Amino acid sequence: MAKRGPYEKGEAKRTEILHAALEIFAAEGYRGTSLRKVAARCNLSLPGLMHYFSSKEDLLTQVLRMRDETARVRQTERTGEPSYRDIIREGAQTPGLVELFVSMAAAASDPEHPAHAHFAERYPVLRERVAGYVRQRMDEGRLTTEIPPERLAVLLLALADGIQLQWLIDRSTDMEQPIDDVFRLLAVGRDGGGEAPEPERE
Amino acid sequence: MAKRGPYEKGEAKRTEILHAALEIFAAEGYRGTSLRKVAARCNLSLPGLMHYFSSKEDLLTQVLRMRDETARVRQTERTGEPSYRDIIREGAQTPGLVELFVSMAAAASDPEHPAHAHFAERYPVLRERVAGYVRQRMDEGRLTTEIPPERLAVLLLALADGIQLQWLIDRSTDMEQPIDDVFRLLAVGRDGGGEAPEPERE
DNA sequence: GTCTATATAGGGATAGAC
DNA sequence: GTCTATCCCTATATAGAC
């Protein structure tokens, strides 16, 4: 029979733990999450879990890393290019994730927080990614050049984060409407009062 | 000598505790804050503190209440009308406060969270307040009516929250620039490419 | 690779003295 | 109004058996 690699089972369990931890961190926050609960979700005792991750902090950072990794892969697979709207859509599909990232981002503003480095590195990357997308749209003549790409990227990211925060508290909030609205304002050839072309949905 | 009211000293201490708690909740989050630490900051023992507040949850809700109250009063004193930009400015002056509200808002999305009710009530009020401000500007002909006031309010609030979140992580973020930018986009009489009037700074 | 048992620390909350 | 002392719970992390 097929001989399995030496770490076959361990790797599978590791991944299982990461997914369970993601869910629970999202639901309870970093401090609110107990490793026991994560362990139990994986039919493991606490020391069993700590065989894979040396500390709670270690677990968190690896969860965040995995999260960004899968998001990146999924995006590239689909379009070859990251789409700004995907950031929003993804959130809507997995509520807990939005909460995880918003609350983590806030908590991580403390330089002592285990996730500080992660978010400090992540934002500039996101900004540059969105700026690139915006620049391309401008080159194609589909977006006003009134606001420089870098500044517009900050604005769009802020809008995305903020609308997700509002949605967290009031689930009836329409997350796509404000995005549509701002793209309408940004469309070229508008005159400030009349009909504007429906912006494309991506 | 002047006879003090029966609760003179108690009220002063109460207020002192609320201010200390605000700071510490902001720095450490709800779960991360220990009542002992709050007590120590006020030169009090834990039971000393619990003489004033029956539980940690009680303390949190009263902190949030006080916070909104003072913000409201300050606004009304200054202009008689709430200004959208004040929301941002206020945040910039007291960093911990931004973190408190963003992280609390995220954590409070859980209906079980002690602050859930507070935020659930707060957002609609803010939205209506901003919508009123927007409506007035539209009536004066200083703002495009392309987007209805209620929808624009959602967008502006999201932008404010989001930019504060970005600023939490990267303190070099300019919190006023995106606000200026969006108001420029919203100004009437623009043509989508040329010079736009500098939006007023209030 | 996973367990039981335990060390160590800290949390919220209460009883009862002063 | 404030204290000391204490209860009981839960947390992370480790030691050492299987």
Side-chain angles (χ1 to χ4, degrees), chain B residues 71-143:
Chain B
R72 204 182 50 73
V73 167
R74 211 183 292 164
Q75 262 182 2
T76 311
E77 267 176 6
R78 269 182 42 192
T79 59
E81 265 301 311
S83 155
Y84 168 67
R85 257 202 176 75
D86 286 344
I87 299 172
I88 310 281
R89 288 248 178 72
E90 201 178 34
Q93 286 156 18
T94 43
L97 222 63
V98 176
E99 195 191 334
L100 175 65
F101 273 78
V102 171
S103 62
M104 278 292 168
S109 68
D110 178 0
E112 300 302 306
H113 192 281
H116 179 76
H118 177 86
F119 283 98
E121 288 161 21
R122 185 185 133 97
Y123 253 101
V125 171
L126 278 181
R127 274 207 275 252
E128 191 38 55
R129 215 182 274 174
V130 173
Y133 168 75
V134 161
R135 211 172 283 119
Q136 184 189 323
R137 289 298 197 103
M138 286 181 179
D139 289 348
E140 292 169 3
R142 296 154 84 186
L143 228 54

Side-chain angles (χ1 to χ4, degrees), chain A residues 127 146 151 170 181 190, chain B residues 146 151 170 181 190:
Chain A
R127 275 207 276 251
E146 217 173 328
R151 247 160 69 191
D170 176 5
D181 286 339
R190 50 187 292 285
Chain B
E146 220 173 324
R151 248 161 66 191
D170 175 6
D181 286 338
R190 50 186 292 285

Side-chain angles (χ1 to χ4, degrees), chain B:
Chain B
M1 77 193 67
K3 194 157 177 287
R4 300 181 319 181
Y7 303 121
E8 198 83 3
K9 188 178 175 191
E11 275 305 300
K13 200 71 182 171
R14 230 187 93 87
T15 307
E16 184 190 343
I17 295 169
L18 283 173
H19 280 93
L22 177 62
E23 259 182 63
I24 300 182
F25 276 135
E28 318 273 356
Y30 178 64
R31 298 193 92 130
T33 296
S34 83
L35 293 185
R36 280 181 171 84
K37 192 168 177 179
V38 177
R41 180 78 62 97
C42 306
N43 299 110
L44 225 57
S45 69
L46 174 60
L49 185 149
M50 300 205 67
H51 170 71
Y52 295 94
F53 302 93
S54 61
S55 71
K56 189 182 186 179
E57 193 175 317
D58 180 34
L59 178 59
L60 173 66
T61 57
Q62 300 213 33
V63 162
L64 293 174
R65 208 201 317 274
M66 175 191 73
R67 181 60 222 157
D68 270 6
E69 188 64 21
T70 57
R72 204 182 50 73
V73 167
R74 211 183 292 164
Q75 262 182 2
T76 311
E77 267 176 6
R78 269 182 42 192
T79 59
E81 265 301 311
S83 155
Y84 168 67
R85 257 202 176 75
D86 286 344
I87 299 172
I88 310 281
R89 288 248 178 72
E90 201 178 34
Q93 286 156 18
T94 43
L97 222 63
V98 176
E99 195 191 334
L100 175 65
F101 273 78
V102 171
S103 62
M104 278 292 168
S109 68
D110 178 0
E112 300 302 306
H113 192 281
H116 179 76
H118 177 86
F119 283 98
E121 288 161 21
R122 185 185 133 97
Y123 253 101
V125 171
L126 278 181
R127 274 207 275 252
E128 191 38 55
R129 215 182 274 174
V130 173
Y133 168 75
V134 161
R135 211 172 283 119
Q136 184 189 323
R137 289 298 197 103
M138 286 181 179
D139 289 348
E140 292 169 3
R142 296 154 84 186
L143 228 54
T144 175
T145 53
E146 220 173 324
I147 301 173
E150 293 77 16
R151 248 161 66 191
L152 191 51
V154 172
L155 194 157
L156 290 173
L157 271 180
L159 188 60
D161 286 339
I163 196 68
Q164 290 183 81
L165 185 64
Q166 255 180 87
W167 172 83
L168 271 181
I169 291 158
D170 175 6
R171 298 289 159 118
S172 73
T173 304
D174 183 340
M175 294 209 280
E176 304 233 6
Q177 182 71 67
I179 309 289
D180 284 350
D181 286 338
V182 86
F183 273 111
R184 184 175 299 113
L185 290 172
L186 288 166
V188 295
R190 50 186 292 285
D191 62 298
E195 253 70 31
E198 187 68 16
E200 295 173 53
R201 283 242 171 191
E202 64 175 312

Side-chain angles (χ1 to χ4, degrees), chain A residues 5-111:
Chain A
Y7 305 120
E8 198 85 3
K9 188 178 175 190
E11 274 307 300
K13 201 69 183 174
R14 229 187 93 88
T15 307
E16 184 190 343
I17 295 169
L18 282 173
H19 281 93
L22 177 61
E23 260 182 64
I24 301 184
F25 277 135
E28 319 272 357
Y30 178 64
R31 298 194 94 127
T33 296
S34 83
L35 294 184
R36 277 183 174 82
K37 194 167 178 179
V38 177
R41 180 78 62 98
C42 306
N43 300 110
L44 224 58
S45 70
L46 175 60
L49 185 150
M50 300 204 66
H51 170 72
Y52 296 93
F53 302 91
S54 61
S55 70
K56 188 181 186 179
E57 194 174 313
D58 181 35
L59 178 58
L60 173 65
T61 57
Q62 300 213 34
V63 162
L64 293 175
R65 206 197 323 272
M66 174 192 73
R67 180 59 220 157
D68 270 5
E69 187 63 21
T70 56
R72 205 182 50 72
V73 168
R74 209 182 293 164
Q75 262 182 2
T76 311
E77 268 176 4
R78 270 181 41 191
T79 59
E81 265 302 311
S83 154
Y84 169 67
R85 256 203 177 71
D86 286 344
I87 300 172
I88 310 280
R89 288 246 177 71
E90 202 180 32
Q93 284 155 21
T94 44
L97 222 61
V98 176
E99 194 191 336
L100 176 64
F101 272 79
V102 171
S103 61
M104 279 294 168
S109 68
D110 177 1

